[in-house]
Structures are given as C-alpha cells and as structure tokens.
Amino acid sequence: TLQLLTGFISRCPKSPRVAEALVYLGLCYERMEKPEKAVAFYDKALLFAAPPLAEKIKELQANLQANAQ
C-alpha cells in the first residue's frame, strides 16, 4: 500500500487526489505505530486538501495528539 500511494503521488503530483493519498499514508503510518511520520503526512495533506478533507485531517491530527498523551 505504501509503495502504491507514494508511486501515485510521484506519477501524478498535480492530481486532485494527492491530498487523499497523503492522508492514507498518514493512516498507514499511524497503524504502524509511527506517529511522527503520520503527522508529517497529515501536515503535507493539509497543504493540498479542500475544506471538507481538511477538517477530517485536523480531526485525525487531534486524535493522534490525544493518543500520544
């Protein structure tokens, strides 16, 4: 999954779905218990996300921070 998503981002950097791919990468790293990498992908996704997705990303970030404490 990680290779597919990173490959998609490399091949289609201007796709409107790049933000979604970045979120999925963040979710993968979150499930692999690598929160620092998850946060980095969520932060990058926010740069490309439309408002509805941006709100979801902010929720994911808040949940990740809450779980870290």
Side-chain angles (χ1 to χ4, degrees), residues 16 18-20 22-23 41-63:
V18 165
E20 290 175 54
L22 291 165
V23 170
F41 281 106
Y42 293 153
D43 288 345
K44 191 164 185 179
L46 275 174
L47 299 174
F48 298 96
L53 182 57
E55 290 303 314
K56 181 62 178 169
I57 295 166
K58 290 175 185 176
E59 287 176 29
L60 290 167
Q61 289 175 318
N63 290 338

Side-chain angles (χ1 to χ4, degrees), residues 4-30:
L4 290 173
L5 291 168
T6 55
F8 169 76
I9 293 166
S10 295
R11 284 189 311 278
C12 307
K14 295 184 184 209
S15 169
R17 304 211 99 169
V18 165
E20 290 175 54
L22 291 165
V23 170
Y24 285 121
L25 282 166
L27 289 168
C28 288
Y29 280 109
E30 196 171 336

